[in-house]
Protein backbone atom coordinates (compact mmCIF):
# COMPACT_ATOMS: atom_id res chain seq x y z
CA UNK A 1 0.00 0.00 0.00
CA UNK A 2 1.26 3.49 -0.84
CA UNK A 3 -0.42 5.75 1.71
CA UNK A 4 -1.19 9.42 1.21
CA UNK A 5 -1.85 12.08 3.83
CA UNK A 6 -4.29 14.92 4.22
CA UNK A 7 -4.76 17.34 7.11
CA UNK A 8 -7.44 16.43 9.62
CA UNK A 9 -10.88 17.97 9.43
CA UNK A 10 -13.40 18.27 12.25
CA UNK A 11 -15.54 15.59 10.55
CA UNK A 12 -12.66 13.09 10.93
CA UNK A 13 -12.97 12.82 14.71
CA UNK A 14 -15.43 9.93 14.64
CA UNK A 15 -13.02 7.97 12.43
CA UNK A 16 -10.03 8.96 14.58
CA UNK A 17 -11.81 7.67 17.68
CA UNK A 18 -12.28 4.34 15.90
CA UNK A 19 -8.52 4.16 15.25
CA UNK A 20 -7.93 4.91 18.93
CA UNK A 21 -10.49 2.29 19.97
CA UNK A 22 -8.86 -0.33 17.72
CA UNK A 23 -5.50 0.33 19.34
CA UNK A 24 -7.04 -0.15 22.80
CA UNK A 25 -9.40 -3.00 21.87
CA UNK A 26 -7.58 -5.68 23.87
CA UNK A 27 -7.57 -3.60 27.05
CA UNK A 28 -11.21 -2.62 26.58
CA UNK A 29 -12.22 -6.27 26.02
CA UNK A 30 -10.46 -7.28 29.25
CA UNK A 31 -12.27 -4.56 31.20
CA UNK A 32 -15.63 -6.34 31.07
CA UNK A 33 -17.41 -3.04 30.39
CA UNK A 34 -20.71 -2.88 28.57
CA UNK A 35 -20.75 -1.17 25.16
CA UNK A 36 -21.96 2.19 26.51
CA UNK A 37 -19.22 2.33 29.17
CA UNK A 38 -16.54 1.29 26.67
CA UNK A 39 -17.74 3.92 24.19
CA UNK A 40 -17.71 6.62 26.88
CA UNK A 41 -14.19 5.57 27.90
CA UNK A 42 -12.91 5.70 24.31
CA UNK A 43 -14.49 9.11 23.71
CA UNK A 44 -13.07 10.54 26.93
CA UNK A 45 -9.58 9.10 26.45
CA UNK A 46 -9.33 9.98 22.75
CA UNK A 47 -10.56 13.53 23.34
CA UNK A 48 -8.05 13.99 26.19
CA UNK A 49 -5.18 12.53 24.14
CA UNK A 50 -6.00 14.52 21.01
CA UNK A 51 -6.38 17.73 23.01
CA UNK A 52 -3.06 17.14 24.74
CA UNK A 53 -1.30 16.53 21.42
CA UNK A 54 -2.75 19.72 19.92
CA UNK A 55 -1.72 21.76 22.97
CA UNK A 56 1.75 20.19 23.34
CA UNK A 57 2.54 20.42 19.61
CA UNK A 58 0.68 23.52 18.33
CA UNK A 59 2.71 23.55 15.08
CA UNK A 60 2.30 19.79 14.60
CA UNK A 61 1.04 18.17 11.44
CA UNK A 62 -2.09 16.14 12.20
CA UNK A 63 -2.94 14.02 9.18
CA UNK A 64 -5.33 11.31 8.12
CA UNK A 65 -3.67 8.36 6.39
CA UNK A 66 -5.48 7.35 3.21
CA UNK A 67 -5.38 4.35 0.90
CA UNK A 68 -6.88 5.96 -2.19
CA UNK A 69 -10.05 7.57 -0.86
CA UNK A 70 -10.31 5.25 2.15
CA UNK A 71 -9.34 6.51 5.62
CA UNK A 72 -7.05 3.89 7.17
CA UNK A 73 -5.18 5.62 9.98
CA UNK A 74 -3.60 8.69 11.48
CA UNK A 75 -0.14 10.25 11.52
CA UNK A 76 0.71 13.09 13.87
CA UNK A 77 4.19 14.61 13.47
CA UNK A 78 6.03 17.59 14.98
CA UNK A 79 8.79 18.99 12.77
CA UNK A 80 11.40 20.81 14.81
CA UNK A 81 14.83 22.18 13.89
CA UNK A 82 16.86 19.16 14.99
CA UNK A 83 14.25 16.43 14.88
CA UNK A 84 11.06 15.11 13.43
CA UNK A 85 8.99 13.74 16.29
CA UNK A 86 6.39 11.06 15.52
CA UNK A 87 3.66 11.99 17.98
CA UNK A 88 1.31 9.20 16.96
CA UNK A 89 0.96 6.72 14.17
CA UNK A 90 -1.93 4.29 14.05
CA UNK A 91 -3.77 2.17 11.51
CA UNK A 92 -7.06 0.32 11.58
CA UNK A 93 -6.42 -3.41 12.09
CA UNK A 94 -7.42 -4.32 8.51
CA UNK A 95 -4.66 -2.04 7.19
CA UNK A 96 -1.84 -3.11 9.49
CA UNK A 97 1.02 -5.19 8.10
CA UNK A 98 0.39 -3.88 4.58
CA UNK A 99 3.36 -1.51 4.39
CA UNK A 100 1.68 1.82 5.19
CA UNK A 101 3.52 2.36 8.48
CA UNK A 102 6.80 1.34 6.89
CA UNK A 103 6.26 3.71 3.97
CA UNK A 104 5.41 6.61 6.29
CA UNK A 105 8.35 5.94 8.61
CA UNK A 106 10.74 5.56 5.67
CA UNK A 107 9.58 8.89 4.22
CA UNK A 108 10.15 10.61 7.57
CA UNK A 109 13.64 9.09 7.79
CA UNK A 110 14.51 10.30 4.29
CA UNK A 111 13.22 13.79 5.16
CA UNK A 112 15.21 13.87 8.41
CA UNK A 113 18.34 12.49 6.75
CA UNK A 114 18.20 15.15 4.03
CA UNK A 115 18.26 17.92 6.62
CA UNK A 116 20.54 16.28 9.18
CA UNK A 117 17.81 15.81 11.76
CA UNK A 118 16.79 12.88 13.94
CA UNK A 119 13.45 11.07 14.00
CA UNK A 120 12.10 10.42 17.50
CA UNK A 121 9.03 8.82 19.01
CA UNK A 122 7.73 7.55 22.33
CA UNK A 123 6.65 3.90 22.29
CA UNK A 124 5.04 1.86 25.06
CA UNK A 125 7.53 -0.85 26.00
CA UNK A 126 4.95 -3.61 25.40
CA UNK A 127 3.72 -2.19 22.08
CA UNK A 128 4.30 -4.46 19.08
CA UNK A 129 5.43 -1.38 17.12
CA UNK A 130 8.68 -1.50 19.12
CA UNK A 131 9.92 -4.23 16.75
CA UNK A 132 9.15 -2.03 13.74
CA UNK A 133 11.10 0.90 15.14
CA UNK A 134 14.07 -1.31 16.01
CA UNK A 135 14.03 -2.79 12.53
CA UNK A 136 14.14 0.73 11.13
CA UNK A 137 17.28 1.47 13.16
CA UNK A 138 15.76 3.32 16.10
CA UNK A 139 17.62 3.11 19.41
CA UNK A 140 16.25 3.65 22.88
CA UNK A 141 17.67 6.89 24.30
CA UNK A 142 15.42 7.38 27.33
CA UNK A 143 12.44 6.09 29.24
CA UNK A 144 9.60 7.33 31.41
CA UNK A 145 7.41 4.73 33.04
CA UNK A 146 6.11 2.34 30.37
CA UNK A 147 7.28 4.58 27.50
CA UNK A 148 10.60 4.44 25.70
CA UNK A 149 12.01 7.40 23.80
CA UNK A 150 13.34 6.00 20.54
CA UNK A 151 15.60 7.85 18.11
CA UNK A 152 16.88 7.31 14.59
CA UNK A 153 19.76 9.24 13.08
CA UNK A 154 21.13 8.77 9.58
CA UNK A 155 24.66 9.30 10.90
CA UNK A 156 24.38 6.81 13.78
CA UNK A 157 27.18 4.25 13.45
CA UNK A 158 24.88 1.30 14.10
CA UNK A 159 21.95 2.51 12.00
CA UNK A 160 21.09 -0.01 9.26
CA UNK A 161 20.04 1.27 5.83
CA UNK A 162 16.57 2.75 5.74
CA UNK A 163 14.10 -0.08 4.91
CA UNK A 164 12.26 0.16 1.64
CA UNK A 165 8.52 0.22 1.10
CA UNK A 166 8.74 -3.55 0.58
CA UNK A 167 9.06 -3.88 4.36
CA UNK A 168 5.44 -4.73 5.21
CA UNK A 169 5.13 -4.38 8.97
CA UNK A 170 3.02 -1.62 10.52
Amino acid sequence: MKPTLRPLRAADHVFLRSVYAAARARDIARSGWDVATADAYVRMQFDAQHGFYRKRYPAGHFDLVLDGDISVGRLYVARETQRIHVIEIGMLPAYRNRGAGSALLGALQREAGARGAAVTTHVESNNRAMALYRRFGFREIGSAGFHRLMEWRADAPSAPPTPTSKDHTA
Side-chain angles (χ1 to χ4, degrees), residues 4-106:
T4 57
L5 301 173
R6 78 154 166 78
L8 296 183
R9 300 176 188 144
D12 295 327
H13 280 251
V14 172
F15 170 76
L16 293 170
R17 273 195 292 274
S18 72
V19 174
Y20 180 88
R24 304 299 185 278
R26 213 176 328 175
D27 295 332
I28 293 168
R30 280 187 244 158
S31 72
W33 293 329
D34 60 56
V35 172
T37 302
D39 287 346
Y41 170 82
V42 165
R43 179 179 298 276
M44 177 187 66
Q45 290 295 321
F46 170 78
D47 290 347
Q49 181 193 66
H50 190 75
F52 171 79
Y53 289 158
R54 288 284 194 174
K55 185 175 180 178
R56 171 72 174 85
Y57 303 100
H61 296 260
F62 297 86
D63 295 310
L64 203 63
V65 179
L66 303 168
D67 180 14
D69 293 334
I70 301 170
S71 300
V72 301
R74 63 182 178 162
L75 177 66
Y76 300 169
V77 176
R79 287 173 171 84
E80 301 168 358
T81 305
Q82 296 298 315
R83 74 176 183 157
I84 297 172
H85 184 69
V86 179
I87 303 165
E88 181 78 28
I89 184 170
M91 302 290 158
L92 288 175
Y95 293 91
R96 293 178 190 155
N97 300 314
R98 293 180 53 194
S102 294
L104 295 169
L105 210 48

